[in-house]
């Protein structure tokens, strides 16, 4: 645990270039090691094994062709092409064929050959095959001798002897050693050069982006993040540019928020103070005036409470501490209830709320939160509708969802403002103080619909009014 922590601390201080150099050196060492091992340690073994295998193959093919037409010619070709001495004896040990390619230096030909001894040895072999590596000090050569009994139809027909020189591998190994030294040196130099080039190529864009990120960290939201070179850096640059836009947006929203909250709190607080002073200094003894002033104080306190509650609710919705409590209920009946409640209050003030239901439909969502969305939209529609004071609430069932629309006949919203109205504290410039609201209503609507993952939006035409809508996914048995 302690060691790995220590190692990580050290690793953190190793630069990309050093890491790449180390990796390439390690790679070179491994490749050279493998080359050395195969070429030098295993070469001799490989050579002997393959020589024996090849000679055995030749013996098998001679055995198979024994006595066939053109047999002698076939043997001579084999002997010359493979640099192999061949001797064939018949069953009575008489020479029937011989070919020497080693100029009497072979063990089965020449003046001091070992043929008789080898023949005796072969006859003692139970499987009729003899294979030996022999070093002849006199001729100073190591050779491979292979003997085989020629059997046809279960009868011994003769004996085959092959003798081929085994080239000394030692000299080849020493040449290879020199060569491998040069190759290893070259590999190391090339490896380090590639590591330097690669580390520059990888690190330069990262260093550039890090410098830009430092500037961003110090509040420069106009920093440019340049990608280039390779895909990962491009992606990093794009992500940081996106993060920069978001941070800049949040930063300006935060500034607006502080400005708006302080403005919204200051106005009712100033009013509260002013009316309280008026009661103290002027209207204290006049019950009619005093009550009127107290009424203003109560209304302003309500406004203040509403604002504080909205701020708290919105932050809870946004940071996830309020989760929707899902229930399945009849949205048509719920809409009817809400509109009926509004009718009682608003019709006294001359507003007409029209409700066009569709077929009764079951939906699954948080009923209290969805009711809050609908009420916020109806409140806004009442606040912003035209002279005719009409507000239209409509339910439209589609195959996938239930669409709820709240329409007013007001001035409508300009194209460029539509993007902003769901932002916190956004209130149009022509917003009047008589229109009760905190500037947070639509942000709360947006936050609730977002946690439900419902689509929402607004269609508006200047001079004709606006339609605020959202879609509740239908209740299915799966949910
Ligand atoms: P508030 O109504 O308290 O100002 P909202 O978040 O509910 O805050 O609305 C934000 C802004 O969106 C409003 O100030 C107004 O400019 C605009 N808006 C909302 N609803 C409507 C509507 N039905 N018609 C026109 N403008 C609207």
């Amino acid at each position: 645990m302690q060691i790995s922590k220590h190692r990580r601390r050290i690793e953190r201080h190793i630069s990309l270039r050093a890491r790449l150099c180390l990796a390439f050196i390690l790679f070179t060492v491994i490749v050279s090691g493998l080359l050395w091992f195969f070429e030098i340690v295993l070469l001799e073994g490989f050579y002997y094994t393959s020589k024996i295998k090849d000679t055995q193959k030749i013996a098998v093919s001679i055995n198979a062709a024994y006595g066939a037409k053109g047999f002698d010619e076939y043997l001579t070709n084999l002997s010359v092409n493979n640099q192999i001495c061949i001797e064939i004896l018949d069953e009575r040990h008489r020479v029937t064929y011989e070919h020497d390619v080693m100029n009497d230096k072979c063990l089965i030909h020449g003046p001091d050959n070992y043929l008789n001894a080898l023949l005796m040895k072969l006859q003692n072999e139970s499987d009729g095959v003899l294979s030996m590596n022999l070093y002849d000090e006199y001729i100073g050569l190591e050779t491979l001798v292979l003997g085989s009994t020629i059997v046809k139809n279960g009868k011994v027909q003769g004996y085959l002897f092959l003798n081929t020189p085994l080239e000394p591998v030692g000299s080849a190994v020493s040449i290879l050693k020199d060569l491998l030294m040069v190759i290893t040196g070259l590999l190391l130099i090339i490896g380090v050069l590639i590591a330097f080039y690669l580390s520059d190529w990888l690190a330069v864009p990262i260093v550039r982006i890090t410098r830009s990120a430092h500037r961003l960290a110090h509040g420069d939201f106009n920093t440019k993040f340049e990608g280039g070179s390779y895909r990962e850096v491009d992606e990093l640059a794009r992500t940081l540019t996106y993060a920069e836009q978001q941070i800049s947006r949040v930063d300006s929203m935060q500034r607006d928020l502080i400005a708006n909250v302080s403005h919204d709190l200051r106005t009712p607080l100033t009013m509260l103070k002013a009316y309280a002073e008026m009661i103290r200094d002027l209207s204290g003894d006049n019950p009619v005036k005093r009550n009127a002033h107290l009424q203003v104080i109560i209304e302003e306190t309500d406004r203040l409470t509403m604002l504080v509650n909205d701020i708290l609710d919105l932050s809870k919705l946004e940071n996830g501490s309020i989760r929707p409590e899902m229930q399945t209920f009849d949205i048509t009946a719920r809409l009817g209830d809400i509109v009926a409640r509004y009718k009682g209050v608003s019709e006294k003030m001359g507003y007409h709320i029209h409700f066009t239901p569709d077929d009764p439909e079951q939906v699954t969502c948080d009923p209290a939160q969805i009711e809050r969305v609908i009420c916020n939209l109806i409140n806004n529609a009442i606040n912003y509708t035209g002279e005719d004071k009409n507000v239209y609430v409509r339910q439209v069932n589609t195959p996938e969802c239930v669409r709820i629309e709240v329409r007013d006949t007001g001035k409508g919203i300009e194209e460029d403002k539509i993007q902003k109205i769901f932002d916190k504290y956004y209130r149009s410039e022509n917003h009047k103080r008589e229109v009760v609201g905190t500037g947070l209503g639509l942000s709360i609507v947006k936050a609730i619909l977002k946690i439900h993952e419902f689509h929402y939006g607004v269609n508006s035409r200047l001079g004709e009014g606006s339609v605020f809508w959202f879609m509740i996914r239908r209740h299915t048995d799966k949910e």
Side-chain angles (χ1 to χ4, degrees):
M1 190 69 178
Q2 205 60 36
I3 293 172
S4 74
K5 251 193 199 167
H6 185 63
R7 212 184 75 190
R8 247 178 279 146
R9 209 175 309 138
I10 294 174
E11 275 178 357
R12 236 178 279 149
H13 289 102
I14 302 177
S15 70
L16 186 66
R17 174 170 289 174
R19 269 165 205 258
L20 278 172
C21 277
L22 279 176
F24 270 94
I25 289 171
L26 196 69
F27 177 74
T28 312
V29 168
I30 291 172
V31 170
S32 312
L34 284 174
L35 279 175
W36 279 76
F37 181 69
F38 279 104
E39 300 277 287
I40 295 180
V41 181
L42 299 182
L43 183 69
E44 202 162 2
F46 272 143
Y47 174 69
Y48 285 144
T49 320
S50 69
K51 192 83 185 181
I52 291 171
K53 266 195 193 154
D54 289 349
T55 317
Q56 277 170 348
K57 268 191 207 155
I58 291 171
V60 169
S61 69
I62 293 175
N63 257 314
Y66 184 74
K69 207 172 147 217
F71 182 55
D72 283 7
E73 204 181 320
Y74 171 66
L75 290 178
T76 311
N77 279 340
L78 265 183
S79 174
V80 172
N81 293 342
N82 296 289
Q83 280 299 293
I84 200 160
C85 294
I86 303 178
E87 178 91 10
I88 295 184
L89 309 176
D90 65 9
E91 73 279 15
R92 291 199 198 149
H93 308 168
R94 286 172 306 200
V95 177
T96 57
Y97 176 87
E98 63 177 340
H99 196 265
D100 178 7
V101 288
M102 289 161 67
N103 301 330
D104 282 352
K105 282 190 176 173
C106 107
L107 302 180
I108 54 175
H109 297 114
D112 303 316
N113 68 59
Y114 297 90
L115 197 60
N116 286 335
L118 290 169
L119 181 62
M120 272 168 63
K121 224 173 164 6
L122 175 62
Q123 282 173 327
N124 289 332
E125 294 292 337
S126 54
D127 57 352
V129 178
L130 172 74
S131 170
M132 299 170 83
N133 286 6
L134 293 173
Y135 181 74
D136 188 335
E137 271 183 34
Y138 176 65
I139 53 175
L141 194 65
E142 186 167 18
T143 60
L144 167 70
V145 176
L146 208 117
S148 153
T149 312
I150 303 167
V151 181
K152 281 259 149 90
N153 304 325
K155 257 185 80 187
V156 175
Q157 303 278 311
Y159 303 94
L160 162 70
F161 288 96
L162 303 174
N163 188 199
T164 182
L166 289 171
E167 302 298 342
V169 181
S171 61
V173 166
S174 88
I175 295 170
L176 275 177
K177 267 186 195 163
D178 292 345
L179 209 66
L180 278 178
M181 265 205 305
V182 176
I183 292 176
T184 309
L186 276 177
L187 274 179
L188 272 176
I189 294 168
I190 294 171
V192 170
L193 284 179
I194 293 179
F196 266 84
Y197 170 74
L198 212 61
S199 62
D200 270 358
W201 184 66
L202 288 175
V204 165
I206 296 177
V207 170
R208 202 171 49 216
I209 287 184
T210 311
R211 263 191 231 122
S212 304
H214 272 300
R215 283 203 295 278
L216 172 63
H218 287 96
D220 177 0
F221 296 124
N222 292 319
T223 308
K224 289 243 169 330
F225 290 96
E226 278 175 49
S229 313
Y230 49 99
R231 187 161 51 90
E232 284 79 359
V233 169
D234 268 351
E235 240 160 60
L236 179 64
R238 263 202 305 278
T239 312
L240 284 170
T241 308
Y242 178 71
E244 181 181 44
Q245 287 163 357
Q246 293 303 313
I247 296 170
S248 148
R249 193 168 155 259
V250 170
D251 185 69
S252 79
M253 264 168 71
Q254 212 166 353
R255 280 175 220 268
D256 289 355
L257 187 138
I258 293 167
N260 286 319
V261 169
S262 41
H263 173 263
D264 276 34
L265 290 180
R266 203 182 316 121
T267 318
L269 285 173
T270 315
M271 302 261 282
L272 286 177
K273 186 168 182 253
Y275 278 87
E277 279 172 353
M278 280 203 314
I279 293 169
R280 184 192 65 193
D281 299 337
L282 301 171
S283 60
D285 298 331
N286 181 336
V288 181
K289 272 192 176 171
R290 191 183 59 209
N291 282 347
H293 291 162
L294 282 174
Q295 187 56 35
V296 175
I297 290 181
I298 291 167
E299 277 167 17
E300 287 303 319
T301 317
D302 285 345
R303 196 193 283 269
L304 209 57
T305 312
M306 208 161 79
L307 178 66
V308 173
N309 283 343
D310 277 359
I311 292 173
L312 287 178
D313 288 350
L314 186 59
S315 75
K316 278 189 207 155
L317 279 165
E318 285 184 340
N319 68 24
S321 46
I322 299 183
R323 300 298 315 154
E325 286 173 24
M326 296 301 209
Q327 280 177 32
T328 302
F329 60 95
D330 181 348
I331 186 69
T332 319
R334 182 64 68 119
L335 274 169
D337 288 351
I338 297 171
V339 172
R341 248 183 286 139
Y342 267 97
K343 274 192 174 166
V345 188
S346 51
E347 281 188 0
K348 274 189 212 138
M349 294 151 76
Y351 290 99
H352 306 287
I353 320 277
H354 310 270
F355 176 40
T356 318
D358 203 329
D359 292 336
E361 192 62 52
Q362 294 286 318
V363 292
T364 302
C365 54
D366 183 323
Q369 287 185 355
I370 289 303
E371 186 166 328
R372 187 163 186 185
V373 168
I374 297 165
C375 290
N376 263 327
L377 295 182
I378 297 179
N379 283 343
N380 277 352
I382 291 174
N383 286 337
Y384 297 101
T385 198
E387 295 298 315
D388 60 1
K389 296 195 166 179
N390 278 326
V391 170
Y392 301 87
V393 179
R394 197 156 79 109
Q395 172 200 351
V396 183
N397 295 347
T398 69
E400 295 83 30
C401 53
V402 177
R403 182 182 162 106
I404 312 268
E405 296 176 355
V406 178
R407 181 164 73 87
D408 63 69
T409 59
K411 288 184 187 152
I413 308 162
E414 286 105 337
E415 192 74 33
D416 56 323
K417 306 272 163 58
I418 286 186
Q419 300 295 325
K420 298 184 185 159
I421 56 171
F422 286 95
D423 284 351
K424 273 179 242 174
Y425 293 107
Y426 175 78
R427 305 176 91 176
S428 57
E429 291 104 39
N430 55 11
H431 171 85
K432 292 183 265 30
R433 193 165 153 74
E434 306 86 69
V435 176
V436 182
T438 58
L440 289 175
L442 286 181
S443 315
I444 292 173
V445 165
K446 173 173 148 183
I448 292 175
L449 295 175
K450 251 185 154 174
I451 56 174
H452 278 83
E453 295 177 3
F454 291 164
H455 289 299
Y456 62 91
V458 52
N459 307 330
S460 188
R461 271 168 179 261
L462 285 180
E464 287 180 25
S466 317
V467 181
F468 283 78
W469 57 267
F470 64 95
M471 316 247 229
I472 307 180
R473 266 197 314 279
R474 264 161 185 278
H475 169 67
T476 61
D477 288 338
K478 265 182 265 160
E479 281 172 303

